Amino acid sequence: MGVIGEMRSYLLEKASGSVSKEALKNAPDNQPVVGVRFGRTSQSIYYYALAALRPCITAETADAFDADYGELLKSTKIPYNERQESIKRYRGEASPALEVFGLQLRKPLNGLYDIDLFWLPSKSIETTPLLFGNNVVSTSNQILKGLSRGQVYYRHENYYSHNDVDAQPIRITVLNLFKKGTRPHALIDQLQSGLKRYGFNSSLLSNDLEPSNLPDTQDPAGRAQLDQLLNDLMVVPTDIFFVFLPTDDRGADNSESGSLYHRIYSKLLRRGIASQFIYEDTLQNAREPRYLLNQIIPGVLAKLGNQPFILAEPLRIADCFLGLDVARVAKQRLAGSMNTCAGVCLYGSQGQFMHARTEGAVVEGEEIPPRFLELLLPANELRGKTVLIYRDGWFRGQEVTNLLNWASAIDANFILVECVKSGVPRLYEWNYKTRLTDAGRTTIYASNLSAPSRGLALCLSDREGILVTTKVSERVGLSRPLRLRVRAEGHQVHINDVLDATLKLTLLHHGALKPPRLPMVLHGAHRLADLRLNGVFFGEASRQFWL
């Protein structure tokens, strides 16, 4: 709005506090003055000296501050040794302050003294056995080798025959929307070779689209031209579209015209066609196309209805697993938000995918309506079975009551587990070295904090725990744990069994070699609910098109 030198007198008249007035008097003439509008509908603008505010810089707003968000994140990382010293200092400062109130700080909480409080899987989660085709067993850190040796665990009927030579090939259509002329031909060639390696033939449906002939999708006529182009390409029956998008489409969801991603995704989904999107910067940053394809090909096979792998050993805690999520987005021109919910019924006790559903209507508030809960839990499939139900966040309103009433009606047992992602404290490993003294006693002579192992958990009770499901490098940061709580109203199991099942369910992401933070039931439900908010809707799916 200007600078202090131009607006000092005006700001001093508006200022009410003595501290504010003194700060304005001493502020340099060239300090910016900014206007702030509170709320989405307010028209009033309030003036502030920029130094009086704390700008919130996010990945979306970093450009406005001419800042590199990645570099900002790096500067916020605290090395483990510094954090350890800070904890000691805080403890020293807290002790005398708490003594005034009769409170004492005792020994620190760590696995050295409190073994029962912490949990780790009996074997490293990375060595969990997975079952591929032809009864081949491999571990979760050797997925590509398992696929090469055994091929997929389940082959969709469209690509199955007693003689593999006669099996229908995967029909691939390429849509190149790159702006800079990046050529994806090498990637497509290696894609077909990779599919062949895993037992699938493929055929490439030709097209002559060049980047220089692309329509301007910021213009209505250009979007109509794109729709016509898609319609023309879909005339020839195809199984999957490979769509190459410009990098700037990543942040286009909130623009007036929307993103190419969701526009194309929706049109293909309505025709029952799978899709794989690749952004230009992703292809440019890949060291070699084959490294990118190692991540893509298992997901492509799963989107087409195949099952690349399942757990080699069944999860004993339940017969099947369900994830529930409510996604919401703030209304752009009105107060409040739009909410929608989705559920992924994953899968049998070994992770066999069964089906997924999305609620057709936008729901009010965060409570999932009982009609949708009953639709996700069909009586004919689940009668007499035990079902572990993950809720993203806390159960809301009457959800628990509605679920238990339905469980009673279909003679089933529902294990109700809340999975909280935000506001969860971090966990660390405590590494220590010991030695024997002359008296034969073991003493600790060195200790330090380090990143937690994947699978480390703090058990708060028999029904609640904090679980680390990811492994990240120190330069990226620290793993964000999940907080899991078994509701007392449902069927009861020990938290250790829930922790084990949750970890293993993260391994079933066929769309990437790196497991997600959430168990796949919730990861998929969250993805589907977000797609629904962006106009991509389906009623029920028997394949994992969202990977």
Side-chain angles (χ1 to χ4, degrees), residues 159 168-174 203-206 230-241 268 271-274:
Y159 314 104
Q168 174 184 311
I170 296 174
R171 298 165 297 184
I172 302 170
T173 296
V174 176
S203 61
L204 182 62
L205 306 180
S206 62
L230 284 170
N231 290 333
D232 293 342
L233 291 174
M234 287 189 288
V235 168
V236 180
T238 186
D239 297 312
I240 186 167
F241 265 66
L268 295 177
R271 296 282 289 271
I273 301 174

Side-chain angles (χ1 to χ4, degrees), residues 204-226:
L204 182 62
L205 306 180
S206 62
N207 66 80
D208 300 322
L209 182 67
E210 292 296 330
S212 58
N213 299 324
L214 292 180
D216 178 11
T217 54
Q218 299 303 312
D219 178 78
R223 294 194 293 273
Q225 186 180 348
L226 175 63

Side-chain angles (χ1 to χ4, degrees), residues 74 93 188 196 211 223 361 418 443 500 513-514:
K74 288 181 183 178
E93 295 173 356
I188 295 299
K196 183 71 173 178
R223 294 194 293 273
E418 294 169 325
T443 62
D500 181 70
L513 297 181
K514 183 179 179 180

Side-chain angles (χ1 to χ4, degrees), residues 359 367-376 398-399 402-403 406:
E359 169 66 295
E367 182 178 351
I368 300 175
R371 66 179 184 277
F372 184 59
L373 295 174
E374 294 175 8
L375 184 68
L376 279 173
Q398 297 299 308
E399 287 175 358
N402 293 333
L403 283 167
W406 185 241

Side-chain angles (χ1 to χ4, degrees), residues 302-378:
K303 290 176 182 180
L304 294 171
N306 305 288
Q307 187 102 359
F309 55 83
I310 61 173
L311 297 173
E313 301 170 357
L315 298 172
R316 305 294 183 185
I317 190 174
D319 299 306
C320 59
F321 302 83
L322 177 78
L324 296 172
D325 181 50
V326 174
R328 51 195 169 275
V329 62
K331 296 178 181 178
Q332 296 201 5
R333 294 181 174 84
L334 298 172
S337 63
M338 296 183 297
N339 302 331
T340 188
C341 54
V344 176
C345 193
L346 185 102
Y347 306 175
S349 61
Q350 289 181 259
Q352 307 93 320
F353 174 70
M354 293 165 62
H355 59 247
R357 291 188 176 97
T358 304
E359 169 66 295
V362 175
V363 299
E364 295 184 9
E366 298 184 33
E367 182 178 351
I368 300 175
R371 66 179 184 277
F372 184 59
L373 295 174
E374 294 175 8
L375 184 68
L376 279 173
L377 297 156

